Amino acid sequence: RNCILDAAIRLFTSKGFEQTSIEEVAREAGIGKGTVYSYFQTKKDIVRAFCEEELDYVRNELATNTNPDTPLSDQLLIIFMAEFNHVSKNKDFGRLYLQEKVFPKERYNAEDLAMQNQYFEFLYPIYQAAQQRGEIRDDLELLHISGHFYALYLLLLSCWYNGMIPSEDMRDAMQTMITQTIEGLKPQHSAPVNTK
C-alpha cells in the first residue's frame, strides 16, 4: 500500500493527476495492475488515502504533544503545523492534494463526505472543551469555529506556496494568526457595575 502511494505521489507530481493512469502507477511501484486495484479502485481513492494518512499523522502529533487541558492555541498550532508538514513533504503533490480536497472538480461523494466528517469529529471535541474552559464563545456553531481556523490555515498555506512566508517562519505566522483569532472569539465579559 505504501509503495503504491509513494509511486502515485511521484507520478501525480511529475505528470499530473489526470494524465497518470493506474497502469503507470503499477509500473512505477513495480507491481501488477491488479495489485493496485486490490488496494485502490480509483486514483481518487489514492488521494483519499493520503488524506487518511494526514489525519492519522495529525492525531498522533496531538496525542504525543498535548493533553485535553492544553490551551486551544497550542492544540491548533500542533494540528495545523502537522498538516503543513505532511502536505509540504512534497510541495507539488501537496498542491494537487489541496486542490482535490478543497476545490474538487466533482462534487463530494459519500466517501469524501465520510472523510470530511472524520475530520470534524476529531476537531469538534477540541473546540467544545475550549468553550467549556471559557477560551472561546460557547454560542458559536462548531462548524463555524472550524471554518475560522481552517481558513487561516489555507491563507497561510497559500502565502507559503506564493513564497510570501518561508517554511522557517510558518510556525510563528500560524501562532500569530491563531492567537489573534482566539482573542476575537473570546467571550466578552461585561464591565463590573459601579454601585457608588
Side-chain angles (χ1 to χ4, degrees):
R1 187 176 185 275
N2 289 338
C3 186
I4 294 166
L5 280 171
D6 290 343
I9 288 169
R10 286 193 300 273
L11 287 171
F12 293 166
T13 299
S14 63
K15 293 187 66 176
F17 180 75
E18 299 295 340
Q19 293 73 29
T20 301
S21 68
I22 292 287
E23 187 172 341
E24 289 171 312
V25 171
R27 194 176 319 118
E28 179 77 13
I31 58 176
K33 187 175 173 181
T35 305
V36 175
Y37 282 118
S38 68
Y39 288 93
F40 305 105
Q41 293 300 306
T42 66
K43 293 185 294 183
K44 186 85 182 239
D45 289 338
I46 295 172
V47 174
R48 199 174 295 117
F50 186 82
C51 188
E52 290 168 1
E53 279 192 354
E54 179 188 45
L55 190 52
D56 287 343
Y57 178 69
V58 170
R59 280 187 181 121
N60 288 336
E61 285 291 298
L62 197 64
T64 302
N65 296 298
T66 67
N67 64 61
D69 294 325
T70 299
L72 178 61
S73 61
D74 294 346
Q75 292 188 60
L76 289 176
L77 184 62
I78 289 167
I79 290 168
F80 291 129
M81 285 308 298
E83 287 191 33
F84 171 71
N85 291 334
H86 194 71
V87 167
S88 64
K89 275 192 268 185
N90 185 313
K91 190 172 184 176
D92 291 330
F93 178 75
R95 184 182 287 113
L96 168 73
Y97 163 70
L98 287 165
Q99 177 184 328
E100 287 297 315
K101 183 179 174 185
V102 182
F103 303 109
K105 290 183 180 178
E106 303 165 5
R107 292 183 67 179
Y108 271 3
N109 59 28
E111 290 89 0
D112 295 323
L113 290 172
M115 189 73 241
Q116 188 177 59
N117 286 337
Q118 282 184 39
Y119 187 69
F120 288 133
E121 287 166 9
F122 164 66
L123 287 176
Y124 283 0
I126 294 169
Y127 295 133
Q128 285 173 322
Q131 286 176 322
Q132 290 165 0
R133 290 191 301 265
E135 291 181 70
I136 54 176
R137 291 169 41 192
D138 61 3
D139 62 329
L140 299 173
E141 294 280 337
L142 297 176
L143 179 63
H144 298 162
I145 295 170
S146 294
H148 277 289
F149 291 110
Y150 197 68
L152 293 179
Y153 169 67
L154 290 178
L155 171 68
L156 291 173
L157 206 53
S158 174
C159 290
W160 177 75
Y161 269 108
N162 289 321
M164 297 166 63
I165 300 176
S167 297
E168 61 272 15
D169 293 346
M170 192 66 162
R171 176 175 286 277
D172 289 341
M174 190 80 68
Q175 180 71 69
T176 299
M177 296 294 277
I178 288 170
T179 301
Q180 288 175 352
T181 301
I182 289 175
E183 289 299 316
L185 293 177
K186 275 189 176 176
Q188 291 185 347
H189 300 289
S190 54
V193 177
N194 188 346
T195 56
K196 292 184 179 181

